[in-house]
Amino acid sequence: MRKRILAANWKMNGSKAMLKPFFDQFFKIIDMSSLSSPQHKLYFGMPYLYLEGARSYILNGKITLSAQNCHWAESGAFTGEISPVMLQDFGINTVIIGHSERRQFFNETEETLDKKLHILKKLNMQVIYCIGESLEQKEAKETLKVLQMQLKTLFTALPNKSDLERVVLAYEPIWAIGTGLAATPEQAQEVHRFIRGTIAEAYDIDSAEKISLLYGGSSNASNIVSLLVQPDIDGFLVGGAALKPEEFGRMWRDLSQTP
Ligand code: 13P
């Protein structure tokens, strides 16, 4: 059985002062025993500066902390960057890469992602790899072509099926991010099925069946259940709703109760 995953992406939000009230409130809403389920995993993608403070709330590793990006080199003259080795130095072994906001605003390309995938593989780190099409690409009916191109980067950098075991894929249509207009369950399912099929072709059916595919884009406590019942949606990468402890707590409750 593949894992169900709820992953927060706080993006460039939050504060040091917010951590304690957030987690206090979040833990009040959820059933704490659900965090021990081997089938259900909770991640928090935090701004680098807050990762260390958030460590007090991960309950001996029951919650996984993740960075939202990293550099492709282990060290060097890259002013202002954070290397994956530095993340490991702080006990962080998971990184979101390829987020559309990084592609859009920070010149993340297939080439830089390829380099990041290589270093993360070398360091045995877990990757949450994001893909997704823009509104223009969707309207031009290019969704599948764009996703294929983005997936090819992943397949080329990680050619062995054993490499995929450390990858979680997040389909985040750019037109749904932060817009309040989530993909419909049918739309998301259709794309997720396509992604799983593409993985089966690139590796094999077993790998495709094992990988967790997350949906991201205006997911919230009101729409998560209808998305969760889709056979190829295994979880969510959540922006705005993950900053609200009650709402995110309700999302975790629903996800952790879904087999
Ligand atoms: P929203 O949930 O705010 O739409 O953001 C989705 C996202 O980009 C998560 O990475």
Side-chain angles (χ1 to χ4, degrees):
M1 264 280 271
R2 52 186 179 255
K3 290 191 170 53
R4 295 226 173 251
I5 296 175
L6 186 66
N9 176 8
W10 276 17
K11 309 191 179 186
M12 199 175 70
N13 294 298
S15 65
K16 200 162 67 163
M18 172 179 159
L19 292 174
K20 185 174 180 340
F22 179 93
F23 282 102
D24 285 350
Q25 192 62 29
F26 179 75
F27 290 146
K28 250 189 233 160
I29 304 277
I30 67 166
D31 168 5
M32 294 301 279
S33 71
S34 63
L35 293 172
S36 303
S37 160
Q39 276 314 113
H40 301 88
K41 293 287 163 203
L42 179 60
Y43 288 68
F44 278 90
M46 298 269 178
Y48 295 126
L49 286 171
Y50 302 139
L51 286 165
E52 193 55 14
R55 188 193 303 282
S56 318
Y57 304 100
I58 63 172
L59 311 168
N60 291 324
K62 286 186 183 151
I63 297 175
T64 302
L65 290 176
S66 134
Q68 300 171 8
N69 180 38
C70 67
H71 196 265
W72 61 75
E74 295 186 32
S75 63
F78 298 104
T79 302
E81 290 291 315
I82 302 282
S83 89
V85 173
M86 293 170 179
L87 292 174
Q88 283 195 318
D89 198 17
F90 276 76
I92 305 299
N93 279 295
T94 304
V95 188
I96 300 171
I97 60 167
H99 194 281
S100 61
E101 287 150 17
R102 302 249 18 124
R103 295 175 188 263
Q104 216 178 328
F105 304 125
F106 302 99
N107 211 20
E108 185 87 277
T109 60
E110 300 309 314
E111 197 188 344
T112 54
L113 284 169
D114 175 68
K115 293 192 208 172
K116 291 180 185 189
L117 286 165
H118 275 96
I119 184 82
L120 292 167
K121 174 184 166 176
K122 179 177 170 204
L123 296 170
N124 284 326
M125 291 176 74
Q126 188 183 28
V127 173
I128 301 177
Y129 187 73
C130 303
I131 57 176
E133 83 286 8
S134 67
L135 183 60
E136 297 72 43
Q137 290 164 333
K138 175 176 181 265
E139 285 174 348
K141 305 211 178 313
E142 288 174 350
T143 299
L144 303 186
K145 193 176 98 190
V146 170
L147 298 180
Q148 249 159 352
M149 186 267 294
Q150 294 170 336
L151 285 169
K152 190 162 165 244
T153 304
L154 179 73
F155 301 161
T156 309
L158 305 182
N160 305 319
K161 73 179 263 192
S162 58
D163 298 333
L164 262 202
E165 286 168 14
R166 277 189 297 276
V167 177
V168 173
L169 258 177
Y171 167 58
E172 300 207 306
I174 299 171
W175 45 269
I177 295 178
T179 58
L181 290 172
T184 64
E186 295 72 25
Q187 278 173 326
Q189 165 57 24
E190 193 184 327
V191 175
H192 279 228
R193 195 186 49 200
F194 168 78
I195 294 170
R196 211 179 290 286
T198 309
I199 294 168
E201 277 170 29
Y203 300 86
D204 57 18
I205 292 181
D206 180 53
S207 309
E209 281 302 319
K210 272 193 194 147
I211 193 166
S212 297
L213 302 184
L214 314 188
Y215 167 79
S218 298
S219 58
N220 57 41
S222 310
N223 60 23
I224 178 175
V225 173
S226 60
L227 287 155
L228 260 179
V229 296
Q230 301 300 322
D232 289 298
I233 300 181
D234 305 311
F236 302 89
L237 183 55
V238 188
L243 292 162
K244 301 175 194 154
E246 290 86 359
E247 174 148 24
F248 198 58
R250 280 190 280 140
M251 293 177 83
W252 172 253
R253 252 182 0 211
D254 284 333
L255 182 122
S256 62
Q257 285 169 10
T258 308

Short mmCIF file of all heavy atoms in Angstrom, two decimals, residues 159 183 248:
data_model
loop_
_atom_site.label_atom_id
_atom_site.label_comp_id
_atom_site.label_asym_id
_atom_site.label_seq_id
_atom_site.Cartn_x
_atom_site.Cartn_y
_atom_site.Cartn_z
N PRO A 159 17.37 7.21 -12.85
CA PRO A 159 16.95 6.16 -13.78
C PRO A 159 16.59 4.81 -13.13
O PRO A 159 15.90 4.02 -13.74
CB PRO A 159 18.16 6.00 -14.70
CG PRO A 159 19.32 6.50 -13.91
CD PRO A 159 18.80 7.52 -12.96
N ALA A 183 -8.49 22.21 -8.78
CA ALA A 183 -8.93 21.30 -9.84
C ALA A 183 -10.11 20.49 -9.32
O ALA A 183 -10.18 20.22 -8.11
CB ALA A 183 -7.79 20.37 -10.23
N PHE A 248 -5.91 22.96 8.94
CA PHE A 248 -4.93 21.93 8.57
C PHE A 248 -5.12 20.69 9.44
O PHE A 248 -4.96 19.57 8.98
CB PHE A 248 -3.51 22.51 8.68
CG PHE A 248 -2.49 21.71 7.94
CD1 PHE A 248 -2.61 21.47 6.57
CD2 PHE A 248 -1.40 21.16 8.60
CE1 PHE A 248 -1.67 20.71 5.88
CE2 PHE A 248 -0.44 20.40 7.92
CZ PHE A 248 -0.59 20.18 6.56
#
